[in-house]
Amino acid sequence: MWRFVSTAKEKFGPFGNVRPWIIEGVCAFALGLALGFAAIFFGLFSSLENASLDWRFRIFPRPKTASQDIALVLIDQNSILHFGKQLGRWPWKRTAYPPLLEIFRNAGARLVVFDLLFSESSDEDEDAVFAEAVAKRRNVIFSFQVAHPKDEKRIGGKRELPPGGLSSASLKGLRIPEWGPAVPPIGVLASSALGLGFVNLFADEDGPTRRMPLLLRRGGGTHESLALTVARHRFGKNGKPAPVEISPNGELMLAGQRVPITPEGNLLLRYHGPFRKSFPAMYPAGAVLQAWIDIKAGKKPRLDPEVFRNKVVLIGATAAGTFDLRATPFSPADPGVFLQATAISNLLEGFFLRPAGRLANSAALVFMVLFSSLVMVAPLRLSLRLAALAGGICFFLITSIILTVWAGIWMEVIVPILGFGVAAGSGLSLNYLREGRQRALIKRIFTHYMNPDLVELLVSDPKQVQLGGERRILSIFFSDLENFTNLSERLEPEQLVWLLNIYLTEMSDIILKYEGFLDKYEGDAIMAAFGTPIQFPDHARRACWAALENVERLSRLMDELKDGSYYQAKGIQPL
């Protein structure tokens, strides 16, 4: 690449007058942009990008944005231990749930949602009592799972659910996955429930769950997730769930609001913060059961059932061994009910996370690469360029954080920063190579004409050499030997050259000592300048000192040549 930069003037005719730093900037910009778009095209660094999203959620949590309409009732370890005699080991007897439903009904809960699977029959009488309690309330939503297609033969289709509210035709343009048979609650519970929703969760390749499917295709229709089912009934009117449809641009329309989904029908989870901080309305199931017992005994319960009024009550398990552990941005092992609560909250509050889109991410890449390229070739000190680069990175990161955390727009940062770094690195390298060649050229030109200290000063600040020329007040030194013509006629050519070399060397050393610039030799004449290329305010005084010392040294040199002491001091033989 340096060969291209250094020879562009000769090889690219129309670009012959382009300054080298412009060519360096173009090269750095092209390289950063090419690698950035290659990373986008091949999907590189997706794991790093996901990790950067997790980082934004962790560093800037917003727990107060979570829906206040959600109350969680958790079957924790203490609840299981406390009611072990009455309800047995986990899973609890079905007689545990009618008292919960009664508490929620009396409190005026809006919906009761079970993030628990009741796919296997228990005691027939207990199942019947539970189903009767569900049928009376008409506000209970159950969970179910959908099996993988390859498990269809093993499970069979006897317990299949009817298709959901969207037909396959309405999903045109989306890539909703086709799944196997559903595994719903037992018949008496499924038929008495207000609604059903699947709770399948799929983690990303690097572990955390960041997406939740809202729709799964099955046969001629779809199944809806638990979160979508809850939101539809929460927004519904007159006992009917709110309708859903897919807009032409691939967004899910729910109760008049646009729900951004991926082509696979997934909702990007916009986490509010850590589980227990996001949903403080969290109560042990054992405390709710104890409140029911106290009320029946005519006592005032410790837990006031009024906390469930107008709430969507989500019942899940958090005791060890009772739930699926899911990695989230906040923990490697959060209960699955946390993710369900987050998805429900996102849908109820319209608190969505939208990808910025390929066009916006590409624009960010172009901006970052262009900024980096311009900074690296700018005529600034290296420290200022590095400071500008650091400022650009900080500005971009702050902007991406604001967009993600407060505006709900997922702006990618890894690929733009990659392009930024590549452009900065290549620009710095090209700039370093050009300056290195420039320093070498200055040394090659001026080493024999200037004091070595001045040459190093020019190398450190090449701007002092103005190739186009400039006006400046200088002191010009000129000297020659008296009667040199007569002397040259009496000497052989070899003797004359030998004598001139001695004379010019001695005189030039004195001129360089006073930091003069040797312009040229003309026979025995010496021409030098003081005050260029590096300007000194006392250039006239330096020129005078050099002239006086030249005269003094010439007088001594003649005596040394006559008596032979010069040859002896230099260790040479006279010619």
Side-chain angles (χ1 to χ4, degrees), residues 257-280:
Q257 71 174 351
R258 295 178 180 273
V259 180
I261 57 175
T262 67
E264 295 77 23
N266 296 329
L267 173 72
L268 290 175
L269 292 174
R270 189 176 178 185
Y271 286 96
H272 304 279
F275 179 27
R276 298 188 180 277
K277 291 184 178 179
S278 299
F279 302 98

Side-chain angles (χ1 to χ4, degrees), residues 495-558:
Q495 293 176 315
L496 181 63
V497 171
W498 180 78
L499 183 61
L500 276 177
N501 281 336
I502 292 176
Y503 164 72
L504 294 176
T505 299
E506 293 290 332
M507 299 302 105
S508 297
D509 287 346
I510 294 172
I511 293 171
L512 295 179
K513 171 185 173 182
Y514 289 98
E515 299 180 335
F517 172 70
L518 290 169
D519 181 60
K520 59 186 173 183
Y521 301 119
E522 291 185 357
D524 63 318
I526 302 174
M527 185 171 181
F530 289 80
T532 187
I534 298 176
Q535 192 168 14
F536 300 102
D538 60 342
H539 54 82
R541 184 178 287 109
R542 291 170 185 259
C544 293
W545 286 340
L548 292 173
E549 191 167 331
N550 267 194
V551 173
E552 191 273 334
R553 176 58 183 149
L554 179 59
S555 177
R556 288 190 292 105
L557 179 63
M558 292 173 62

Side-chain angles (χ1 to χ4, degrees), residues 382-396:
L382 179 61
S383 59
L384 292 178
R385 281 183 282 176
L386 294 178
L389 290 177
I393 285 287
C394 290
F395 172 79
F396 178 68

Side-chain angles (χ1 to χ4, degrees), residues 11 15 38 70 118 128 170 181 206 256 297 313 333 359 361 374 381 426-427 443 471 517 519:
K11 292 187 176 182
F15 300 96
I70 299 176
F118 299 102
S170 65
D206 57 341
V313 180
L359 181 61
N361 288 324
L374 292 176
R381 294 197 306 270
S426 57
K443 280 190 174 182
R471 291 182 177 272
F517 172 70
D519 181 60

Side-chain angles (χ1 to χ4, degrees), residues 124-135:
E124 185 175 347
D125 294 334
E126 293 178 1
D127 289 341
V129 171
F130 187 18
E132 182 180 359
V134 170

